[in-house]
Structure formats: structure tokens, C-alpha cells
Amino acid sequence: MKTISKSGERIRVFVADANAMACQLMVRALEQSREPIEVVGSASDPVEILKGLSENPSDVAIISTDFKNGPITGLVVVKQARASFPHTRIIVLTDSPERALVVEGFRAGADGVFSRAETFEMLCKCIRAVGGGQIWANLCQQRFIIEALAMGQPQPIKGANGANLLTKREGELVRLVAEGLTNRDISRQLGLTEHTVRNYLFRIFNKLGTSNRLELALYVIKQRGAHPG
């Protein structure tokens, strides 16, 4: 994953929350913190979010799913922001860490999903991690992601031109990773050495621009969201 903010640089953050008061409080708390964070803009209306991101280049956008029409509105905004501002990292802010909301948040293009039940200190840590190019997902969320990947129907991973990005064998390895198998398990099932399995995974990571199993799972989930069926 590409690193957006280098060590020592301030992270430019855009805050989007349907609750205007909550939005203002978050902005003020971030501005008054000692974190290397610069709030460059905020919005409380879905229409204003994309406009605000366009006018205020941001490293990280915190986008709430709590809008009048429910989380679907927020997730649509996340998808639009991901498509329009590919270099802006996105944190989806949820009222509760429900399985469906976590999975759909990542599928929509989030780089992290954060619950309001967590502390402000943890939010700052989340911003630093996501701003540094990392995926933010706790152990419970990682389990949701792997389970969602395992339950989905296997599909070839295709590029923008519709061509398969992986060979048949590489696609088979992705499927086994989705099932939660370790490198040793995969080597036994496919009759390969663990060294060969590692080489396959490194090749897959390089082809897809990922660096670990979690990012690989998110890549596949996001592609399924963009190309259902």
C-alpha cells in the first residue's frame, strides 16, 4: 500500500459527520490535540462532502455512515469519494461495529473502520496508521473480512481491461488463503513446498499491490463489490 503521510509531516484530515455538533466537536478535538494532524475541512451533508474533498486536498477523510437515510447513504458517499479521490485514505465512522457494516465499509473502499464506542486516543492512532498507508482493522474486524471472503463465490480477479490478473494456480492460492489455510496447510493440499507457496504469495501481492493476507482479502472483497457476480 502506498504511504500517504511521511513521518514528521502533518496529516491533512477532512471530517464528514451527519451530526453537525458531533462534527464540530471532532474537528475541535483534533485541532486541540498534540497529534500531527491538520483539519483542512468538514461537512455534515452528503452533497457537501465530495465538494469539500475537492476543495480541500486531504490525506485522510473520516466519513460517517450515520445519515438520515441510514448507513447506505454514507457507504455510497464512501464509494464516490474512493472513485473521485483515489489518493485520499478513508476511515468509515460507524455507530456500532456490526459485522455487515464493517464488511460493507471495507467493500465500499474504506482503509479503516472505526466505531464511536472507541476512545479519541484510539481515533488518533487510527488516523496515524491509515495516514501512513496501513489498513486499520482490529482482530474482530479481520475475522469478519476473512469470513466474508470465504463465504463469497470464487471469481477471477480481473484488471480494468477485463483480463485476468492471476494465473489459475495463483487464483487457487487466493481461494485457499480465503479459507484461512496457513502456508503449511496450502503446501500440503497443493503438493508444494512452503517456500514455493511463499513465492506464489509474494508474486500475488506484487501483482495486486498488496503486502499481506489482510490487504489481499480486502482487495478481493472490494473487487467483488465493484464487479458483483
Side-chain angles (χ1 to χ4, degrees):
M1 288 289 182
K2 182 181 179 181
T3 298
I4 302 297
S5 178
K6 297 179 181 179
S7 177
E9 293 184 356
R10 296 183 70 79
I11 303 171
R12 298 170 300 174
V13 176
F14 187 92
V15 179
D17 194 325
N19 186 309
M21 182 178 292
C23 187
Q24 292 172 5
L25 289 173
M26 190 185 306
V27 168
R28 182 173 299 178
L30 290 172
E31 289 177 337
Q32 294 179 349
S33 73
R34 296 183 178 180
E35 299 291 337
I37 293 172
E38 176 187 358
V39 179
V40 296
S42 63
S44 297
D45 181 88
V47 176
E48 295 298 318
I49 294 173
L50 297 179
K51 179 181 178 183
L53 285 171
S54 177
E55 296 174 348
N56 304 279
S58 309
D59 299 314
V60 175
I62 303 173
I63 302 178
S64 169
T65 59
D66 183 26
F67 286 93
K68 292 180 180 179
N69 297 327
I72 292 179
T73 300
L75 293 174
V76 168
V77 173
V78 171
K79 289 182 180 179
Q80 294 172 334
R82 168 56 64 227
S84 301
F85 310 100
H87 297 300
T88 297
R89 309 279 290 179
I90 298 176
I91 297 172
V92 168
L93 182 64
T94 68
D95 285 344
S96 61
E98 296 178 5
R99 178 192 300 265
L101 200 51
V102 169
V103 173
E104 290 305 319
F106 282 113
R107 182 173 283 136
D111 300 289
V113 175
F114 190 86
S115 170
R116 292 183 194 273
E118 299 187 70
T119 65
F120 176 74
E121 288 73 16
M122 193 61 70
L123 173 61
C124 292
K125 186 176 181 180
C126 175
I127 292 172
R128 291 198 305 271
V130 171
Q134 300 177 38
I135 296 296
W136 180 269
N138 59 32
L139 292 177
C140 186
Q141 292 173 341
Q142 290 180 35
R143 187 177 71 250
F144 292 163
I145 294 166
I146 297 300
E147 289 174 352
L149 180 58
M151 290 186 334
Q153 292 298 320
Q155 299 173 22
I157 298 177
K158 298 181 180 294
N161 60 358
N164 289 342
L165 295 179
L166 303 179
T167 65
K168 183 177 180 180
R169 175 66 89 180
E170 290 168 345
E172 192 172 12
L173 257 76
V174 171
R175 177 180 61 80
L176 295 176
V177 168
E179 293 177 2
L181 272 65
T182 64
N183 287 0
R184 178 174 295 181
D185 295 332
I186 294 173
S187 68
R188 290 173 177 171
Q189 184 155 332
L190 298 183
L192 304 171
T193 66
E194 288 188 55
H195 178 73
T196 300
V197 171
R198 285 195 297 271
N199 286 341
Y200 266 118
L201 287 176
F202 285 137
R203 193 178 307 154
I204 292 169
F205 293 157
N206 287 332
K207 283 185 176 183
L208 303 183
T210 58
S211 58
N212 55 51
R213 287 168 177 255
L214 176 58
E215 290 183 2
L216 175 61
L218 288 176
Y219 182 99
V220 176
I221 285 176
K222 290 175 182 179
Q223 187 178 79
R224 288 178 183 173
H227 306 286

